[in-house]
Amino acid sequence: EIRVNQLGFLPQAHKVAVLPAGANGDVEVIDAASGALAWRGRAGPAAMWKESGETVMLADFSALTRTGEYRIRAAGAAPSERFSVRAGVYVELNRAALKAFYFNRSGIALDAAHAGVHARAAGHPDTRVLVHASAASSVRPEGTVIASPKGWYDAGDYNKYIVNSGISTYTLLAAFEHFPGYFTRLRTGIPESGNTLPDILDEALWNLEWMLSMQDPYDGGVYNKLTNQNFDGMVMPDKASGAPRYVVQKGTAAALDFAATMATASRVMQPYEQQRPGLSARMLAAAEAAWEWARANPAVAFRNPPGVVTGEYGDASFDDEFAWAAAELYISSGKDSYYAAMKPAAVTASVPEWADVRGLAWISLAHHRKHLSAAADQRLIAGPIDGLAAALAAKWRASAYGVPMQGGDFVWGSNAVALNQSMMLLQAYRLNGKRDYLDAAQAGLDYVLGRNATAYSFVTGFGARQVLHPHHRPSVADQVAAPVPGFLAGGPHAGQQDKGDCKVPYPSALPALSYIDDDCSYASNEVAINWNAPLVYVSAALDVLGDA
Ligand code: G3I
Ligand code: 9MR
């Protein structure tokens, strides 16, 4: 069948569909209700997409700008799903993607007024958490009880991990910094809605308050995670085993991701001093203390200690975390020593992920470039993002599927790679206005919403052929047929690390097709906060920038 973004496009957006090579290249876009012809044109030449083994053609119908509901057809192929062309086409998606963080809150009951059919009792209060042997110190020996409530569950599991929380929370804060008008208007229907903070900041604060409690006040170090020894069963939060929860080993990546995120939060919260007296200053002080700990402990890699088998987020290279933390501390404190500590000339840009955060440093420096001290090299600051975007746009232009995704991009969480690529392309577009960068960024969102080899729309609750069975404990256990909405599924990749736990076979070993919409598949169909965060960013950015 013909593949297209199943939500649709803003009127002025770049619009592309993928056709099987067997179809006739004469393509028509028709009004979905009346069948009236809205656009007619030719598809491009057929080409093979190595990632899926398909031979396909691209049809560019960007010239269709009239608001409406459409389908695409061509002789020899099944017509596309129905999609819209209209302003604000991603507002509901954006709202749901942000609301998903609320649905994953730890330590709070979700009431029907805010969660509807997905209301549930509270779980994991984390008011009595044990210091694990691996984290013991003279002041906080093994077994010391601390309180570390709130925060978001990481993913389909119920643990809370600092490394992954950092990039996720930062991405939400960056979305607000870059598009304050959009997010000041956006209401997600959370308990805090209607207070004097934008909902996106209330949501971020739920996790930031937890993160603050993960810092050891005696030395500034930050625990890697708050976790059970083993994953809970596939049950609702309040039905979980009640097994002891631990804070586990401090580490360099945790300290630096914490420092970068807290430094960012301190400047974002600064205008809200009246609402949260002292919070901004407290966050900056916490960030600086974590930075000092990392300087004194520059190479503490995290490995699960004996007996703990939950997510590791193990990362043993810290140059990127040092650069990111230094950049955020420089921007928020104004101290030139942090700029020097970043060693910016040696820092490249890459597509961000939990284990590689140097691109985040460049996002923030570029956004704040007009307000930096004289120490900042203005010529240097625009370079890495533009270079990265040019490379991504070249892959997009050469791609049979019309997407930057290829080869090594297909990893655990590949759908978030697509969106983080878009996020970086959007930074370059914001810097220099090159239209190709906006169009290539659009392709990343198209990809996760249906213009991909699996034909799924990967966001729960959105699209004609949506993901229905994510590896997400509440979605599995809540007795509601539909999954909790607004979550991005991890996506296809050839790893298949869950084969032993899945009775359902993978349909293919090819990276772009190696995906199962079954809740057994944590490797291809889990949800995660760091995957949803770029969905929030990109859907908002395309709504705003695509309308200009
Ligand atoms: O580091 C190697 C790299 O050297 C190599 O070239 C590459 C080739 O595949 O693999 C890299 O390791 C990968 C690692 O992520 C770092 O990217 C592993 O193969 C891959 O299995 C690993 O996947 C991680 C997965 O946990 C398993 O540890 C995902 O990135 C990560 O998103 C996922 O996170 C889990 C948490 O642990 C628990 N909570 C749910 C969450 C989402 O599934
Ligand atoms: O549910 C767990 C998920 O969050 C993790 O990403 C995944 C990999 O660490 O592990 C899942 O838990 C499974 C465990 O690894 C093996 N036994 C079955 C568990 C639930 O499916």
Side-chain angles (χ1 to χ4, degrees):
E1 77 239 29
I2 299 171
R3 309 274 161 79
V4 69
N5 175 333
Q6 294 167 21
L7 275 197
F9 307 89
L10 280 93
Q12 302 304 325
H14 192 55
K15 306 179 194 73
V16 170
V18 169
L19 286 83
N24 187 313
D26 291 320
V27 184
E28 293 182 344
V29 181
I30 56 168
D31 184 287
S34 70
L37 185 68
W39 178 90
R40 172 184 285 150
R42 285 286 303 168
M48 225 271 274
W49 200 39
K50 185 161 57 60
E51 281 66 23
S52 68
E54 297 164 281
T55 303
V56 295
M57 307 182 288
L58 296 178
D60 179 344
F61 59 103
S62 305
L64 172 64
T65 57
R66 189 155 32 88
T67 296
E69 292 282 314
Y70 302 102
R71 275 183 208 280
I72 305 169
R73 69 181 182 198
S80 76
E81 303 290 1
R82 189 189 168 112
F83 62 94
S84 319
V85 173
R86 62 181 169 86
V89 71
Y90 306 129
V91 174
E92 287 311 315
L93 170 70
N94 181 263
R95 193 194 313 280
L98 181 55
K99 182 82 176 254
F101 288 83
Y102 164 74
F103 284 122
N104 248 30
R105 285 187 188 184
S106 162
I108 184 178
L110 310 186
D111 56 46
H114 302 103
V117 294
H118 300 288
R120 59 164 171 81
H124 307 91
D126 291 337
T127 46
R128 292 184 54 82
V129 174
L130 304 176
V131 173
H132 190 263
S134 61
S137 69
S138 54
V139 202
R140 285 184 165 184
E142 179 181 359
T144 303
V145 177
I146 67 166
S148 191
K150 300 192 175 179
W152 303 308
Y153 297 132
D154 181 55
D157 66 319
Y158 291 144
N159 304 304
K160 306 189 288 198
Y161 309 81
I162 284 289
V163 165
N164 205 41
S165 265
I167 182 171
S168 307
T169 310
Y170 168 83
T171 302
L172 297 188
L173 294 172
F176 176 72
E177 274 197 307
H178 301 181
F179 308 107
Y182 186 89
F183 283 106
T184 299
R185 284 188 299 276
L186 187 78
R187 287 277 173 274
T188 53
I190 54 177
E192 298 82 359
S193 293
N195 71 9
T196 52
L197 286 179
D199 285 3
I200 193 169
L201 294 189
D202 281 315
E203 197 55 63
L205 282 171
W206 185 264
N207 202 57
L208 285 159
E209 287 173 4
W210 167 66
M211 288 180 75
L212 283 168
S213 73
M214 289 291 281
Q215 183 171 45
D216 181 344
Y218 299 104
D219 67 0
V222 178
Y223 305 110
N224 273 286
K225 60 177 171 177
L226 192 165
T227 185
N228 299 3
Q229 286 192 291
N230 301 291
F231 288 110
D232 280 316
M234 300 304 284
V235 298
M236 294 303 282
D238 63 305
K239 298 290 183 307
S241 63
R245 304 267 279 176
Y246 297 94
V247 289
V248 176
Q249 196 198 303
K250 294 167 194 165
T252 306
L256 292 168
D257 289 334
F258 174 100
T261 307
M262 276 312 151
T264 304
S266 79
R267 67 174 181 262
V268 172
M269 287 309 294
Q270 228 226 314
Y272 301 99
E273 186 57 26
Q274 276 205 313
Q275 286 90 334
R276 295 294 185 106
L279 182 59
S280 170
R282 183 180 164 213
M283 287 170 154
L284 188 57
E288 296 205 90
W291 169 263
E292 291 307 329
W293 188 93
R295 297 273 276 197
N297 301 271
V300 185
F302 179 69
R303 284 285 164 263
N304 266 335
V308 176
V309 306
T310 54
E312 193 158 58
Y313 292 117
D315 178 9
S317 62
F318 306 116
D319 288 356
D320 55 310
E321 284 84 7
F322 269 109
W324 179 35
E328 303 299 352
L329 281 161
Y330 167 58
I331 297 165
S332 294
S333 74
K335 293 181 192 162
D336 289 350
S337 56
Y338 287 119
Y339 186 77
M342 181 187 166
K343 304 194 193 77
V347 181
T348 54
S350 56
V351 176
E353 50 145 357
W354 62 263
D356 180 2
V357 290
R358 65 204 132 126
L360 307 180
W362 291 116
I363 292 179
S364 289
L365 286 171
H367 178 72
H368 291 279
R369 67 192 180 285
K370 303 213 171 94
H371 308 284
L372 300 175
S373 74
D377 179 345
Q378 291 289 337
R379 281 223 337 263
L380 183 70
I381 284 173
I385 286 177
D386 191 60
L388 175 63
L392 291 168
K395 292 207 279 177
W396 163 74
R397 231 174 277 115
S399 163
Y401 238 84
V403 292
M405 289 291 286
Q406 60 172 247
D409 298 333
F410 286 90
V411 292
W412 189 316
S414 60
N415 284 336
V417 177
L419 293 176
N420 279 318
Q421 291 177 335
S422 290
M423 185 169 77
M424 294 313 280
L425 284 156
L426 288 162
Q427 304 316 306
Y429 179 69
R430 293 174 68 232
L431 276 170
N432 59 31
K434 285 184 196 157
R435 176 69 200 214
D436 265 11
Y437 294 165
L438 182 66
D439 295 350
Q442 175 73 45
L445 189 64
D446 292 353
Y447 173 86
V448 303
L449 292 176
R451 181 156 64 85
N452 63 64
T454 71
Y456 280 105
S457 167
F458 286 115
V459 183
T460 55
F462 289 84
R465 187 169 176 209
Q466 36 184 278
V467 162
L468 294 174
H469 309 288
H471 183 87
H472 179 234
R473 282 163 172 72
S475 294
V476 172
D478 67 2
Q479 310 290 330
V480 178
V484 181
F487 279 102
L488 179 74
H493 66 106
Q496 303 189 357
Q497 292 90 335
D498 48 23
K499 251 185 181 156
D501 287 315
C502 280
K503 309 255 173 319
V504 200
Y506 274 88
S508 169
L510 288 163
L513 280 166
S514 178
Y515 167 79
I516 348 177
D517 182 18
D518 191 288
D519 57 49
C520 67
S521 183
Y522 46 83
S524 82
N525 208 31
E526 188 161 353
V527 307
I529 54 173
N530 61 315
W531 305 337
N532 251 63
L535 179 61
V536 171
Y537 188 100
V538 171
S539 55
L542 289 175
D543 257 335
V544 175
L545 301 172
D547 210 20

